[in-house]
Amino acid sequence: MSQNIKSMTQAEIAQILKEMGQPAFRAKQVYSWLHKGVTGYEQMTNLSKDLRAQLAERYPFAVPTVVRKQESQRDGTIKYLWRLSDGNCVETVLMRYHYGNTVCISSEVGCPMGCAFCASTLGGLVRKLEPHEMLDQVLFTQIDSGLPISHIVLMGIGEPLDNFDNVMRFLELVNSPEGMNISMRHISLSTCGLVPKIDELAKKKLQLTLSVSLHAPNDAVRNTIMPVNKAYPTEQLLDACRRYYEQTGRRISFEYAMIDGVNDSVENAKELLHRLKGLPAHFNLIPLNHVEESPLKPSSRNAVARFQKTLEDGGITATVRRTLGGDIDASCGQLRRKYNKEHNG
Ligand code: SAH
């Protein structure tokens, strides 16, 4: 686990302060300041100068800086490209829904999963994010935009379950009453289907929403677009979803990117109905966002509507995701990709 003070729980901060001869109540002060988004210890005005100097020496921390900020003229979606302390960049998207401002955060720099339609994975995985680097995306998006954040989706760059321990710590931090206090019920975590990690997550019985990027009704189709399916085929994945539901009582949300001629036929929808029988589920149908480097194309409006109707007639609720920020490269990994291309040739 990272030694960065912003990745520590309040109890861990209490421990280091104790070792520095400080009273226990200081931990709450330090923790609250950090989670308010201070940029340095000098802003922690209720601590002595001496303690601030000692902390700055022993536990230095940096905050991300805005490299690019794009605001959609259509729907107010804001996309941030942040520079982390080691120079790597990650994206965060702020979406304004009627139920609250939602941030979509990245969990890794790049992604190792190799999905054929996704811009985030084109350069592979660079590294996993530390807990505080996920927290800072939420915190500094809120501070920079001036918009209070109530919801989080882990649907940006990276595979959250490939960075399991750091993501769990991030959830603990962002959920803490002395921190941002964001309710687990307002958090969604999306995975491409790492079966053992889904089981590990189920054991934690968190009240978050698990989203599974299914994108296909069977192995024949899924193998062609998602390499992870070779390790964890659809049957294993759906079994893990059933176990997840049994353990947590939480309905699974399935993401389904609609790709022209690949996974969008009525037969595909019927096969899904058959295979998901008995599993309470919700489908998010996402018309594919075209990625320059990929030959895959989005399904037609008609194909999406037919697919949705087939699922709903069969008793599975399915919504077509509104595309926000279409004018600002807002889908997964597109902005970082563009920026890296411009700067690295
Ligand atoms: N690695 C996790 C988190 C990424 S979430 C996961 O796979 O779930 C981002 C969602 O957008 C995933 O469902 C992903 O499959 C989907 N996605 C990626 N590229 C896309 C594209 N070009 N068009 C539509 N959806 C896309």
Side-chain angles (χ1 to χ4, degrees):
M1 187 62 70
S2 145
Q3 268 313 291
N4 189 296
I5 193 165
K6 285 190 81 173
S7 286
M8 294 181 190
T9 60
Q10 195 175 305
E12 287 169 350
I13 294 178
Q15 186 56 38
I16 63 167
L17 285 168
K18 190 173 163 198
E19 284 157 18
M20 293 166 73
Q22 292 292 325
F25 69 87
R26 292 261 176 258
K28 188 171 176 182
Q29 293 175 326
V30 171
Y31 187 87
S32 308
W33 280 118
L34 291 170
H35 289 246
K36 279 198 181 80
V38 295
T39 55
Y41 288 104
E42 70 284 354
Q43 290 160 34
M44 301 188 181
T45 47
N46 55 0
L47 307 186
S48 71
K49 276 209 167 125
D50 184 43
L51 176 57
R52 283 186 253 164
Q54 279 184 52
L55 283 169
E57 159 105 27
R58 294 193 200 185
Y59 300 100
F61 67 92
V63 301
T65 53
V66 179
V67 183
R68 278 198 189 170
K69 177 180 177 182
Q70 299 182 350
E71 187 156 0
S72 166
Q73 298 308 307
R74 295 180 203 161
D75 51 45
T77 297
I78 306 174
K79 179 137 189 172
Y80 289 95
L81 186 68
W82 300 104
R83 188 183 307 286
L84 307 173
S85 53
D86 68 348
N88 276 304
C89 292
V90 290
E91 291 168 39
T92 307
V93 184
L94 168 60
M95 295 160 293
R96 295 153 85 165
Y97 291 112
H98 65 275
Y99 52 76
N101 298 316
T102 303
V103 281
C104 174
I105 67 161
S106 299
S107 56
E108 299 183 314
V109 180
C111 182
M113 305 314 306
C115 298
F117 44 81
C118 183
S120 299
T121 197
L122 288 168
L125 176 71
V126 178
R127 70 171 175 87
K128 302 174 184 198
L129 292 186
E130 299 289 329
H132 66 277
E133 292 173 318
M134 292 179 257
L135 177 70
D136 278 346
Q137 293 175 62
V138 187
L139 204 44
F140 288 98
T141 296
Q142 175 169 279
I143 290 171
D144 183 89
S145 68
L147 298 166
I149 307 293
S150 55
H151 292 67
I152 299 172
V153 296
L154 279 144
M155 294 190 180
I157 299 171
E159 166 52 46
L161 296 188
D162 179 52
N163 190 12
F164 194 87
D165 293 342
N166 287 345
V167 166
M168 291 307 118
R169 170 55 63 90
F170 157 69
L171 292 172
E172 186 179 348
L173 296 174
V174 83
N175 179 236
S176 68
E178 293 81 14
M180 294 193 80
N181 199 16
I182 293 183
S183 151
M184 281 291 174
R185 288 186 174 261
H186 288 185
I187 300 178
S188 294
L189 184 154
S190 182
T191 179
C192 63
L194 300 178
V195 166
K197 297 293 176 184
I198 293 176
D199 284 327
E200 216 176 313
L201 183 66
K203 283 198 205 110
K204 303 205 175 272
K205 297 199 191 312
L206 302 177
Q207 290 299 297
L208 52 73
T209 298
L210 179 65
S211 289
V212 173
S213 298
L214 191 57
H215 304 324
N218 57 45
D219 292 332
V221 176
R222 203 164 188 265
N223 279 336
T224 65
I225 50 177
M226 298 182 72
V228 66
N229 198 67
K230 306 225 165 85
Y232 306 110
T234 50
E235 189 171 325
Q236 284 185 33
L237 176 57
L238 294 175
D239 282 348
C241 291
R242 287 177 207 282
R243 290 192 295 275
Y244 188 87
Y245 176 71
E246 277 161 25
Q247 287 220 24
T248 64
R250 304 282 297 163
R251 184 176 76 160
I252 308 264
S253 175
F254 288 101
E255 283 155 286
Y256 201 95
M258 303 279 307
I259 311 174
D260 183 44
V262 173
N263 63 1
D264 61 351
S265 69
V266 167
E267 288 65 44
N268 292 153
K270 285 187 175 153
E271 189 173 358
L272 280 175
L273 284 171
H274 174 68
R275 297 199 64 190
L276 272 91
K277 229 174 214 121
L279 177 64
H282 175 89
F283 268 73
N284 265 313
L285 305 176
I286 317 155
L288 185 79
N289 267 298
H290 181 63
V291 172
E292 223 173 79
E293 289 85 346
S294 154
L296 302 170
K297 300 268 181 319
S299 304
S300 69
R301 254 170 207 255
N302 277 344
V304 176
R306 263 199 312 268
F307 200 90
Q308 181 185 24
K309 184 167 186 314
T310 311
L311 289 182
E312 297 232 308
D313 287 350
I316 288 188
T317 60
T319 41
V320 179
R321 189 176 291 169
R322 206 157 51 102
T323 43
L324 294 178
D327 53 337
I328 55 165
D329 302 310
S331 74
C332 246
Q334 290 184 356
L335 184 60
R336 170 173 171 266
R337 177 99 193 127
K338 199 163 159 186
Y339 179 83
N340 284 349
K341 267 201 292 237
E342 285 166 16
H343 289 77
N344 307 322

mmCIF file of all heavy atoms in Angstrom, residues 256-292:
data_model
loop_
_atom_site.group_PDB
_atom_site.id
_atom_site.type_symbol
_atom_site.label_atom_id
_atom_site.label_comp_id
_atom_site.label_asym_id
_atom_site.label_seq_id
_atom_site.Cartn_x
_atom_site.Cartn_y
_atom_site.Cartn_z
ATOM 1 N N TYR A 256 -23.604 -2.922 -22.608
ATOM 2 C CA TYR A 256 -23.624 -3.609 -23.897
ATOM 3 C C TYR A 256 -23.411 -2.575 -24.998
ATOM 4 O O TYR A 256 -24.312 -1.799 -25.321
ATOM 5 C CB TYR A 256 -24.973 -4.324 -24.056
ATOM 6 C CG TYR A 256 -24.978 -5.448 -25.067
ATOM 7 C CD1 TYR A 256 -24.782 -6.759 -24.663
ATOM 8 C CD2 TYR A 256 -25.198 -5.187 -26.420
ATOM 9 C CE1 TYR A 256 -24.799 -7.802 -25.590
ATOM 10 C CE2 TYR A 256 -25.214 -6.226 -27.351
ATOM 11 C CZ TYR A 256 -25.015 -7.529 -26.934
ATOM 12 O OH TYR A 256 -25.033 -8.565 -27.850
ATOM 13 N N ALA A 257 -22.185 -2.513 -25.510
ATOM 14 C CA ALA A 257 -21.872 -1.578 -26.602
ATOM 15 C C ALA A 257 -22.407 -2.171 -27.899
ATOM 16 O O ALA A 257 -22.060 -3.298 -28.262
ATOM 17 C CB ALA A 257 -20.363 -1.371 -26.696
ATOM 18 N N MET A 258 -23.258 -1.446 -28.552
ATOM 19 C CA MET A 258 -23.922 -1.978 -29.748
ATOM 20 C C MET A 258 -23.034 -1.749 -30.973
ATOM 21 O O MET A 258 -22.793 -0.619 -31.385
ATOM 22 C CB MET A 258 -25.266 -1.274 -29.940
ATOM 23 C CG MET A 258 -26.214 -1.382 -28.736
ATOM 24 S SD MET A 258 -27.121 -2.930 -28.654
ATOM 25 C CE MET A 258 -27.852 -3.033 -30.254
ATOM 26 N N ILE A 259 -22.568 -2.871 -31.541
ATOM 27 C CA ILE A 259 -21.620 -2.805 -32.664
ATOM 28 C C ILE A 259 -22.273 -3.393 -33.909
ATOM 29 O O ILE A 259 -22.745 -4.546 -33.899
ATOM 30 C CB ILE A 259 -20.329 -3.599 -32.338
ATOM 31 C CG1 ILE A 259 -19.796 -3.204 -30.945
ATOM 32 C CG2 ILE A 259 -19.273 -3.358 -33.418
ATOM 33 C CD1 ILE A 259 -18.615 -4.043 -30.474
ATOM 34 N N ASP A 260 -22.287 -2.612 -34.938
ATOM 35 C CA ASP A 260 -22.958 -2.974 -36.183
ATOM 36 C C ASP A 260 -22.530 -4.349 -36.705
ATOM 37 O O ASP A 260 -21.339 -4.582 -36.943
ATOM 38 C CB ASP A 260 -22.649 -1.889 -37.226
ATOM 39 C CG ASP A 260 -23.376 -2.139 -38.534
ATOM 40 O OD1 ASP A 260 -24.577 -2.476 -38.489
ATOM 41 O OD2 ASP A 260 -22.738 -2.007 -39.595
ATOM 42 N N GLY A 261 -23.519 -5.240 -36.844
ATOM 43 C CA GLY A 261 -23.245 -6.545 -37.444
ATOM 44 C C GLY A 261 -22.446 -7.503 -36.579
ATOM 45 O O GLY A 261 -22.134 -8.614 -37.008
ATOM 46 N N VAL A 262 -22.107 -7.096 -35.364
ATOM 47 C CA VAL A 262 -21.286 -7.963 -34.512
ATOM 48 C C VAL A 262 -22.123 -8.587 -33.391
ATOM 49 O O VAL A 262 -22.096 -9.800 -33.173
ATOM 50 C CB VAL A 262 -20.087 -7.180 -33.907
ATOM 51 C CG1 VAL A 262 -19.340 -8.032 -32.888
ATOM 52 C CG2 VAL A 262 -19.144 -6.722 -35.010
ATOM 53 N N ASN A 263 -22.891 -7.736 -32.680
ATOM 54 C CA ASN A 263 -23.602 -8.233 -31.490
ATOM 55 C C ASN A 263 -25.018 -7.665 -31.376
ATOM 56 O O ASN A 263 -25.586 -7.647 -30.301
ATOM 57 C CB ASN A 263 -22.800 -7.860 -30.231
ATOM 58 C CG ASN A 263 -22.681 -6.349 -30.053
ATOM 59 O OD1 ASN A 263 -23.208 -5.567 -30.846
ATOM 60 N ND2 ASN A 263 -22.004 -5.939 -29.019
ATOM 61 N N ASP A 264 -25.559 -7.143 -32.500
ATOM 62 C CA ASP A 264 -26.782 -6.342 -32.391
ATOM 63 C C ASP A 264 -28.023 -6.955 -33.037
ATOM 64 O O ASP A 264 -29.012 -6.254 -33.271
ATOM 65 C CB ASP A 264 -26.531 -4.931 -32.953
ATOM 66 C CG ASP A 264 -26.140 -4.943 -34.427
ATOM 67 O OD1 ASP A 264 -25.885 -6.045 -34.978
ATOM 68 O OD2 ASP A 264 -26.090 -3.853 -35.020
ATOM 69 N N SER A 265 -27.989 -8.263 -33.326
ATOM 70 C CA SER A 265 -29.167 -8.862 -33.975
ATOM 71 C C SER A 265 -30.225 -9.228 -32.940
ATOM 72 O O SER A 265 -29.946 -9.330 -31.736
ATOM 73 C CB SER A 265 -28.762 -10.126 -34.744
ATOM 74 O OG SER A 265 -28.399 -11.141 -33.819
ATOM 75 N N VAL A 266 -31.447 -9.446 -33.436
ATOM 76 C CA VAL A 266 -32.536 -9.889 -32.561
ATOM 77 C C VAL A 266 -32.194 -11.257 -31.954
ATOM 78 O O VAL A 266 -32.466 -11.525 -30.781
ATOM 79 C CB VAL A 266 -33.873 -9.926 -33.343
ATOM 80 C CG1 VAL A 266 -34.944 -10.666 -32.566
ATOM 81 C CG2 VAL A 266 -34.331 -8.501 -33.665
ATOM 82 N N GLU A 267 -31.531 -12.108 -32.740
ATOM 83 C CA GLU A 267 -31.115 -13.431 -32.222
ATOM 84 C C GLU A 267 -30.157 -13.252 -31.037
ATOM 85 O O GLU A 267 -30.225 -13.982 -30.060
ATOM 86 C CB GLU A 267 -30.406 -14.269 -33.312
ATOM 87 C CG GLU A 267 -31.303 -14.805 -34.407
ATOM 88 C CD GLU A 267 -31.916 -13.695 -35.267
ATOM 89 O OE1 GLU A 267 -31.178 -12.747 -35.639
ATOM 90 O OE2 GLU A 267 -33.124 -13.758 -35.533
ATOM 91 N N ASN A 268 -29.259 -12.289 -31.154
ATOM 92 C CA ASN A 268 -28.324 -12.019 -30.054
ATOM 93 C C ASN A 268 -29.099 -11.642 -28.788
ATOM 94 O O ASN A 268 -28.790 -12.113 -27.688
ATOM 95 C CB ASN A 268 -27.356 -10.876 -30.397
ATOM 96 C CG ASN A 268 -26.372 -11.216 -31.504
ATOM 97 O OD1 ASN A 268 -25.905 -10.331 -32.218
ATOM 98 N ND2 ASN A 268 -26.046 -12.490 -31.656
ATOM 99 N N ALA A 269 -30.125 -10.811 -28.952
ATOM 100 C CA ALA A 269 -30.929 -10.382 -27.787
ATOM 101 C C ALA A 269 -31.674 -11.572 -27.195
ATOM 102 O O ALA A 269 -31.752 -11.733 -25.970
ATOM 103 C CB ALA A 269 -31.895 -9.276 -28.196
ATOM 104 N N LYS A 270 -32.196 -12.422 -28.079
ATOM 105 C CA LYS A 270 -32.942 -13.595 -27.577
ATOM 106 C C LYS A 270 -32.016 -14.541 -26.827
ATOM 107 O O LYS A 270 -32.388 -15.124 -25.807
ATOM 108 C CB LYS A 270 -33.607 -14.323 -28.746
ATOM 109 C CG LYS A 270 -34.826 -13.566 -29.258
ATOM 110 C CD LYS A 270 -35.579 -14.370 -30.298
ATOM 111 C CE LYS A 270 -36.860 -13.637 -30.697
ATOM 112 N NZ LYS A 270 -37.278 -13.977 -32.069
ATOM 113 N N GLU A 271 -30.813 -14.692 -27.333
ATOM 114 C CA GLU A 271 -29.855 -15.564 -26.658
ATOM 115 C C GLU A 271 -29.528 -15.016 -25.259
ATOM 116 O O GLU A 271 -29.411 -15.778 -24.288
ATOM 117 C CB GLU A 271 -28.583 -15.710 -27.508
ATOM 118 C CG GLU A 271 -27.659 -16.783 -26.953
ATOM 119 C CD GLU A 271 -26.461 -17.083 -27.846
ATOM 120 O OE1 GLU A 271 -26.340 -16.494 -28.945
ATOM 121 O OE2 GLU A 271 -25.642 -17.927 -27.420
ATOM 122 N N LEU A 272 -29.419 -13.699 -25.179
ATOM 123 C CA LEU A 272 -29.166 -13.086 -23.865
ATOM 124 C C LEU A 272 -30.301 -13.407 -22.904
ATOM 125 O O LEU A 272 -30.069 -13.783 -21.742
ATOM 126 C CB LEU A 272 -29.058 -11.568 -23.993
ATOM 127 C CG LEU A 272 -27.731 -10.999 -24.488
ATOM 128 C CD1 LEU A 272 -27.855 -9.496 -24.667
ATOM 129 C CD2 LEU A 272 -26.591 -11.329 -23.520
ATOM 130 N N LEU A 273 -31.537 -13.242 -23.382
ATOM 131 C CA LEU A 273 -32.699 -13.514 -22.530
ATOM 132 C C LEU A 273 -32.635 -14.932 -21.986
ATOM 133 O O LEU A 273 -32.879 -15.182 -20.804
ATOM 134 C CB LEU A 273 -33.990 -13.343 -23.337
ATOM 135 C CG LEU A 273 -34.413 -11.907 -23.620
ATOM 136 C CD1 LEU A 273 -35.571 -11.876 -24.611
ATOM 137 C CD2 LEU A 273 -34.797 -11.199 -22.322
ATOM 138 N N HIS A 274 -32.283 -15.846 -22.878
ATOM 139 C CA HIS A 274 -32.221 -17.247 -22.500
ATOM 140 C C HIS A 274 -31.130 -17.475 -21.441
ATOM 141 O O HIS A 274 -31.345 -18.134 -20.425
ATOM 142 C CB HIS A 274 -31.949 -18.072 -23.756
ATOM 143 C CG HIS A 274 -31.720 -19.513 -23.482
ATOM 144 N ND1 HIS A 274 -32.719 -20.343 -23.023
ATOM 145 C CD2 HIS A 274 -30.584 -20.267 -23.575
ATOM 146 C CE1 HIS A 274 -32.215 -21.556 -22.842
ATOM 147 N NE2 HIS A 274 -30.926 -21.524 -23.164
ATOM 148 N N ARG A 275 -29.980 -16.876 -21.686
ATOM 149 C CA ARG A 275 -28.843 -17.154 -20.796
ATOM 150 C C ARG A 275 -28.933 -16.432 -19.457
ATOM 151 O O ARG A 275 -28.306 -16.827 -18.479
ATOM 152 C CB ARG A 275 -27.535 -16.802 -21.502
ATOM 153 C CG ARG A 275 -27.350 -17.671 -22.733
ATOM 154 C CD ARG A 275 -25.941 -17.701 -23.187
ATOM 155 N NE ARG A 275 -25.041 -18.306 -22.218
ATOM 156 C CZ ARG A 275 -23.736 -18.270 -22.325
ATOM 157 N NH1 ARG A 275 -23.190 -17.638 -23.354
ATOM 158 N NH2 ARG A 275 -22.965 -18.840 -21.420
ATOM 159 N N LEU A 276 -29.689 -15.349 -19.429
ATOM 160 C CA LEU A 276 -29.773 -14.586 -18.179
ATOM 161 C C LEU A 276 -30.984 -14.966 -17.329
ATOM 162 O O LEU A 276 -31.229 -14.330 -16.299
ATOM 163 C CB LEU A 276 -29.782 -13.088 -18.468
ATOM 164 C CG LEU A 276 -28.373 -12.515 -18.532
ATOM 165 C CD1 LEU A 276 -27.816 -12.553 -19.926
ATOM 166 C CD2 LEU A 276 -28.319 -11.142 -17.963
ATOM 167 N N LYS A 277 -31.702 -15.972 -17.764
ATOM 168 C CA LYS A 277 -32.926 -16.357 -17.059
ATOM 169 C C LYS A 277 -32.716 -16.438 -15.547
ATOM 170 O O LYS A 277 -31.778 -17.053 -15.079
ATOM 171 C CB LYS A 277 -33.403 -17.709 -17.581
ATOM 172 C CG LYS A 277 -34.856 -17.640 -17.925
ATOM 173 C CD LYS A 277 -35.466 -18.822 -18.564
ATOM 174 C CE LYS A 277 -36.504 -18.267 -19.508
ATOM 175 N NZ LYS A 277 -36.311 -18.619 -20.881
ATOM 176 N N GLY A 278 -33.609 -15.782 -14.809
ATOM 177 C CA GLY A 278 -33.549 -15.900 -13.350
ATOM 178 C C GLY A 278 -32.573 -14.948 -12.685
ATOM 179 O O GLY A 278 -32.495 -14.892 -11.465
ATOM 180 N N LEU A 279 -31.802 -14.223 -13.464
ATOM 181 C CA LEU A 279 -30.850 -13.276 -12.864
ATOM 182 C C LEU A 279 -31.389 -11.854 -13.005
ATOM 183 O O LEU A 279 -31.505 -11.355 -14.117
ATOM 184 C CB LEU A 279 -29.482 -13.389 -13.568
ATOM 185 C CG LEU A 279 -28.410 -12.403 -13.100
ATOM 186 C CD1 LEU A 279 -28.036 -12.651 -11.642
ATOM 187 C CD2 LEU A 279 -27.160 -12.518 -13.977
ATOM 188 N N PRO A 280 -31.739 -11.198 -11.889
ATOM 189 C CA PRO A 280 -32.239 -9.825 -11.997
ATOM 190 C C PRO A 280 -31.144 -8.937 -12.597
ATOM 191 O O PRO A 280 -30.023 -8.908 -12.098
ATOM 192 C CB PRO A 280 -32.526 -9.429 -10.550
ATOM 193 C CG PRO A 280 -32.633 -10.715 -9.811
ATOM 194 C CD PRO A 280 -31.708 -11.671 -10.514
ATOM 195 N N ALA A 281 -31.482 -8.284 -13.688
ATOM 196 C CA ALA A 281 -30.451 -7.536 -14.408
ATOM 197 C C ALA A 281 -31.046 -6.309 -15.065
ATOM 198 O O ALA A 281 -32.245 -6.217 -15.275
ATOM 199 C CB ALA A 281 -29.830 -8.429 -15.483
ATOM 200 N N HIS A 282 -30.171 -5.395 -15.350
ATOM 201 C CA HIS A 282 -30.568 -4.217 -16.111
ATOM 202 C C HIS A 282 -29.549 -4.044 -17.223
ATOM 203 O O HIS A 282 -28.360 -4.234 -16.991
ATOM 204 C CB HIS A 282 -30.573 -2.980 -15.202
ATOM 205 C CG HIS A 282 -30.846 -1.716 -15.951
ATOM 206 N ND1 HIS A 282 -32.122 -1.246 -16.143
ATOM 207 C CD2 HIS A 282 -30.009 -0.862 -16.586
ATOM 208 C CE1 HIS A 282 -32.064 -0.134 -16.862
ATOM 209 N NE2 HIS A 282 -30.795 0.125 -17.145
ATOM 210 N N PHE A 283 -29.995 -3.709 -18.407
ATOM 211 C CA PHE A 283 -29.059 -3.493 -19.518
ATOM 212 C C PHE A 283 -28.931 -2.032 -19.880
ATOM 213 O O PHE A 283 -29.922 -1.323 -19.993
ATOM 214 C CB PHE A 283 -29.504 -4.277 -20.771
ATOM 215 C CG PHE A 283 -28.876 -5.633 -20.837
ATOM 216 C CD1 PHE A 283 -29.294 -6.634 -19.988
ATOM 217 C CD2 PHE A 283 -27.842 -5.890 -21.731
ATOM 218 C CE1 PHE A 283 -28.693 -7.888 -20.016
ATOM 219 C CE2 PHE A 283 -27.239 -7.140 -21.769
ATOM 220 C CZ PHE A 283 -27.659 -8.135 -20.919
ATOM 221 N N ASN A 284 -27.678 -1.608 -20.030
ATOM 222 C CA ASN A 284 -27.375 -0.296 -20.582
ATOM 223 C C ASN A 284 -26.876 -0.502 -21.990
ATOM 224 O O ASN A 284 -25.784 -1.046 -22.188
ATOM 225 C CB ASN A 284 -26.221 0.342 -19.794
ATOM 226 C CG ASN A 284 -26.741 1.252 -18.720
ATOM 227 O OD1 ASN A 284 -27.615 2.072 -18.976
ATOM 228 N ND2 ASN A 284 -26.198 1.088 -17.534
ATOM 229 N N LEU A 285 -27.660 -0.100 -22.950
ATOM 230 C CA LEU A 285 -27.221 -0.252 -24.337
ATOM 231 C C LEU A 285 -26.511 1.033 -24.746
ATOM 232 O O LEU A 285 -27.057 2.121 -24.615
ATOM 233 C CB LEU A 285 -28.437 -0.514 -25.238
ATOM 234 C CG LEU A 285 -29.302 -1.709 -24.821
ATOM 235 C CD1 LEU A 285 -30.532 -1.826 -25.714
ATOM 236 C CD2 LEU A 285 -28.487 -3.003 -24.863
ATOM 237 N N ILE A 286 -25.273 0.874 -25.179
ATOM 238 C CA ILE A 286 -24.462 2.045 -25.529
ATOM 239 C C ILE A 286 -24.102 1.962 -27.004
ATOM 240 O O ILE A 286 -23.347 1.071 -27.401
ATOM 241 C CB ILE A 286 -23.125 2.055 -24.735
ATOM 242 C CG1 ILE A 286 -23.351 1.666 -23.275
ATOM 243 C CG2 ILE A 286 -22.409 3.376 -24.870
ATOM 244 C CD1 ILE A 286 -22.131 1.071 -22.604
ATOM 245 N N PRO A 287 -24.663 2.833 -27.827
ATOM 246 C CA PRO A 287 -24.223 2.803 -29.230
ATOM 247 C C PRO A 287 -22.714 3.017 -29.261
ATOM 248 O O PRO A 287 -22.211 3.934 -28.611
ATOM 249 C CB PRO A 287 -24.958 3.984 -29.859
ATOM 250 C CG PRO A 287 -26.075 4.317 -28.899
ATOM 251 C CD PRO A 287 -25.610 3.898 -27.536
ATOM 252 N N LEU A 288 -21.992 2.138 -29.937
ATOM 253 C CA LEU A 288 -20.521 2.205 -29.955
ATOM 254 C C LEU A 288 -20.047 3.606 -30.310
ATOM 255 O O LEU A 288 -20.562 4.238 -31.224
ATOM 256 C CB LEU A 288 -19.988 1.220 -31.000
ATOM 257 C CG LEU A 288 -18.454 1.093 -31.033
ATOM 258 C CD1 LEU A 288 -17.970 0.206 -29.900
ATOM 259 C CD2 LEU A 288 -17.980 0.542 -32.366
ATOM 260 N N ASN A 289 -19.069 4.082 -29.571
ATOM 261 C CA ASN A 289 -18.376 5.305 -29.954
ATOM 262 C C ASN A 289 -17.274 4.903 -30.899
ATOM 263 O O ASN A 289 -16.409 4.097 -30.523
ATOM 264 C CB ASN A 289 -17.732 5.949 -28.721
ATOM 265 C CG ASN A 289 -18.654 6.964 -28.104
ATOM 266 O OD1 ASN A 289 -19.002 7.953 -28.729
ATOM 267 N ND2 ASN A 289 -19.048 6.698 -26.872
ATOM 268 N N HIS A 290 -17.283 5.456 -32.070
ATOM 269 C CA HIS A 290 -16.283 5.027 -33.045
ATOM 270 C C HIS A 290 -14.881 5.463 -32.606
ATOM 271 O O HIS A 290 -14.670 6.610 -32.238
ATOM 272 C CB HIS A 290 -16.606 5.581 -34.423
ATOM 273 C CG HIS A 290 -15.625 5.156 -35.456
ATOM 274 N ND1 HIS A 290 -15.460 3.833 -35.797
ATOM 275 C CD2 HIS A 290 -14.735 5.849 -36.183
ATOM 276 C CE1 HIS A 290 -14.499 3.740 -36.702
ATOM 277 N NE2 HIS A 290 -14.046 4.958 -36.960
ATOM 278 N N VAL A 291 -13.945 4.525 -32.616
ATOM 279 C CA VAL A 291 -12.547 4.820 -32.299
ATOM 280 C C VAL A 291 -11.762 4.740 -33.613
ATOM 281 O O VAL A 291 -11.876 3.753 -34.342
ATOM 282 C CB VAL A 291 -11.991 3.793 -31.275
ATOM 283 C CG1 VAL A 291 -10.497 3.953 -31.078
ATOM 284 C CG2 VAL A 291 -12.724 3.926 -29.947
ATOM 285 N N GLU A 292 -11.003 5.785 -33.877
ATOM 286 C CA GLU A 292 -10.295 5.914 -35.164
ATOM 287 C C GLU A 292 -9.542 4.655 -35.581
ATOM 288 O O GLU A 292 -9.598 4.231 -36.723
ATOM 289 C CB GLU A 292 -9.285 7.051 -35.016
ATOM 290 C CG GLU A 292 -9.222 7.993 -36.198
ATOM 291 C CD GLU A 292 -8.313 9.167 -35.836
ATOM 292 O OE1 GLU A 292 -7.075 9.004 -35.885
ATOM 293 O OE2 GLU A 292 -8.879 10.210 -35.465
#
